[in-house]
Amino acid sequence: MEVLWAADGPQTAREVQEALADRDLATTTVLTVLGRLERKQLVTRTRDGRAHHYQPVASREDHVAELMRDALDAAPDRGAALARFLGSIPDDERAALRDLLG
């Protein structure tokens, strides 16, 4: 996902593999992971000639926000979970949240 989020546009499996060259991944491995991401509806795939191009369904920020909502939904006491979260972040981030809410 990091490679797709950092890209300027849709990427082929080969382009994703090249971006991950330091990991020495087989093309089949990259295709398997991209296929799983597509089944989880995190990426979309479009055909262009013989190649498929992959792109994220949502931005990184939207994805993180969804994960945060999921975590809150799993908490039996949302208020307590939010209070613990706010107590765990630095003062400048708490101030930024206050500004956003204000």
Side-chain angles (χ1 to χ4, degrees), residues 21-87:
D22 60 323
R23 298 187 189 183
D24 194 31
L25 299 171
T27 303
T28 54
T29 302
V30 174
L31 285 168
T32 297
V33 171
L34 289 169
R36 289 179 181 168
L37 291 172
E38 182 184 15
R39 281 191 296 284
K40 292 180 179 184
Q41 298 180 343
L42 296 172
V43 302
T44 58
R45 177 181 73 168
T46 55
R47 190 168 189 78
D48 183 15
R50 292 185 57 197
H52 287 101
H53 287 81
Y54 298 86
Q55 64 184 26
V57 169
S59 69
R60 178 180 316 174
E61 294 77 14
D62 288 336
H63 179 69
V64 170
E66 180 67 29
L67 293 174
M68 293 169 73
R69 279 190 301 273
D70 289 347
L72 279 175
D73 288 346
D77 184 346
R78 288 174 76 112
L82 282 168
R84 292 269 174 101
F85 173 72
L86 290 172

